[in-house]
Amino acid sequence: MAEDTGDRRDLAALLHPLFKTLIAIERPILAEHEVSMWGYSVLTALADGPARTQATLAESIGADKTRIIDTLDELQQAGHILREPDPADRRARLLSITASGARVRRAVQAEIRVAEDRLLAELPAEDRQGFLRALEAFSSLSLDEISTR
Amino acid sequence: MAEDTGDRRDLAALLHPLFKTLIAIERPILAEHEVSMWGYSVLTALADGPARTQATLAESIGADKTRIIDTLDELQQAGHILREPDPADRRARLLSITASGARVRRAVQAEIRVAEDRLLAELPAEDRQGFLRALEAFSSLSLDEISTR
DNA sequence: TATTGTTATACTCTATAACTATA
DNA sequence: TATAGTTATAGAGTATAACAATA
């Protein structure tokens, strides 16, 4: 059986151009729909269900609670999210996605998907499969724990 | 044959935590050897051969010529690179790696490799192979052209 | 006049701490 | 006093333009 002890460049160095390419693919699509990267991230999180506080929402997308405030302001002003004080604890803000927000998120994701598929089509089919499976496998790992071990 | 038209998250979103993990793996190793991320990148580029100008070196590692100047200062002061005016064109600086620089680069890369292998070991063997092969395949693509098409 | 390297400046992101309002 | 949200500030990283030396 072949093992992976051969020569290769650092994974970060290999991944970096790919990552930059993916960001470059997303940027114009997001701009066209007038949503920021963080805004899209928030919409994606809220599409799975409402959030009870801004802090938990921030944490779920790997952001700081102070960093998403402008994002929430924008999304609210655009009518993409609801953001209302929790009657049970008026310190907290209940966050949920609106029909408009859901529509934008779906449109953005669909366009990103098309562009990504065009990129993946450059790969041999078997490598493409392996790549996607490995990404799924990684995403089910708890990378935070691993890196600080 | 199974095609990859199933549901999945955006590739950038899938890649981001992995990329962050890889950076987190590299950071303490680089710190221990007192080299910055850009410094390591420069050493890696020069390990393949000298550079005729700073601008071409910068471009080869995806940086701006103005951005690597402090890095080159540090590497030179640490004795990791040689940086001397080209006798044939005294505007340009000939850049090459020293024995010390090569030693540091090898040590850093070896340690990074060990840590990365530990991470990859969390994946099923077949996914690991597919992942590495896909990365190699991507790196031989001209991603810059693709993203701006 | 063009090119190489350098410096200066501004702009974006991010991290931290301090503040307010509720509890 | 503790917590949720907000604001202010500073720092790192980056991009751009202007500058000095050489061609």
Side-chain angles (χ1 to χ4, degrees), chain A residues 27 38 64-67 87-91:
Chain A
R27 206 176 292 280
W38 283 115
D64 190 277
K65 64 172 180 169
T66 67
R67 234 165 54 195
D89 179 348
R90 291 172 41 73
R91 291 173 304 181

Side-chain angles (χ1 to χ4, degrees), chain A residues 75-117:
Chain A
L75 290 174
Q76 187 178 22
Q77 190 138 19
H80 293 334
I81 63 169
L82 252 49
R83 187 197 203 181
E84 33 198 20
D86 182 348
D89 179 348
R90 291 172 41 73
R91 291 173 304 181
R93 305 273 176 277
L94 298 173
L95 301 161
S96 54
I97 196 167
T98 65
S100 151
R103 195 165 47 238
V104 167
R105 196 208 122 262
R106 267 196 310 273
V108 168
Q109 202 201 22
E111 290 179 41
I112 288 176
R113 181 57 178 271
V114 167
E116 284 180 349
D117 282 347

Side-chain angles (χ1 to χ4, degrees), chain A residues 3-5 8 11 138 141-143 145-149, chain B residues 18 21-22 24-26 28-29 32 108-124 128 131-132:
Chain A
E3 250 320 317
D4 50 289
T5 47
R8 64 164 146 85
L11 293 181
F138 271 122
L141 294 179
S142 202
L143 291 173
E145 292 171 17
I146 291 168
S147 65
T148 54
R149 231 183 243 161
Chain B
L18 173 60
T21 300
L22 293 170
I25 283 176
E26 292 199 2
I29 297 172
E32 187 141 354
V108 168
Q109 202 200 23
E111 291 179 42
I112 288 175
R113 181 57 177 269
V114 167
E116 284 181 349
D117 282 348
R118 205 156 43 213
L119 176 63
L120 287 171
E122 307 273 339
L123 286 184
R128 180 167 59 238
F131 180 67
L132 293 175

Side-chain angles (χ1 to χ4, degrees), chain B residues 92-113:
Chain B
R93 305 272 176 277
L94 298 174
L95 301 161
S96 54
I97 196 167
T98 66
S100 151
R103 196 165 47 241
V104 166
R105 195 207 122 263
R106 268 196 309 273
V108 168
Q109 202 200 23
E111 291 179 42
I112 288 175
R113 181 57 177 269

Side-chain angles (χ1 to χ4, degrees), chain A residues 30 35-46 57 60-62 75:
Chain A
L30 293 166
V35 203
S36 68
M37 196 81 74
W38 283 115
Y40 177 56
S41 182
V42 165
L43 290 181
T44 300
L46 290 181
L57 172 65
S60 76
I61 62 175
L75 290 174

Side-chain angles (χ1 to χ4, degrees), chain B residues 47-122:
Chain B
D48 291 337
R52 211 185 54 75
T53 72
Q54 295 184 182
T56 55
L57 172 65
E59 206 208 334
S60 77
I61 62 175
D64 191 278
K65 63 171 181 169
T66 67
R67 232 165 54 196
I68 64 167
I69 290 189
D70 287 351
T71 302
L72 295 179
D73 290 347
E74 289 163 14
L75 290 174
Q76 187 178 21
Q77 189 139 18
H80 293 335
I81 64 169
L82 251 50
R83 186 198 203 181
E84 33 199 21
D86 182 348
D89 180 349
R90 291 172 43 70
R91 290 173 305 181
R93 305 272 176 277
L94 298 174
L95 301 161
S96 54
I97 196 167
T98 66
S100 151
R103 196 165 47 241
V104 166
R105 195 207 122 263
R106 268 196 309 273
V108 168
Q109 202 200 23
E111 291 179 42
I112 288 175
R113 181 57 177 269
V114 167
E116 284 181 349
D117 282 348
R118 205 156 43 213
L119 176 63
L120 287 171
E122 307 273 339

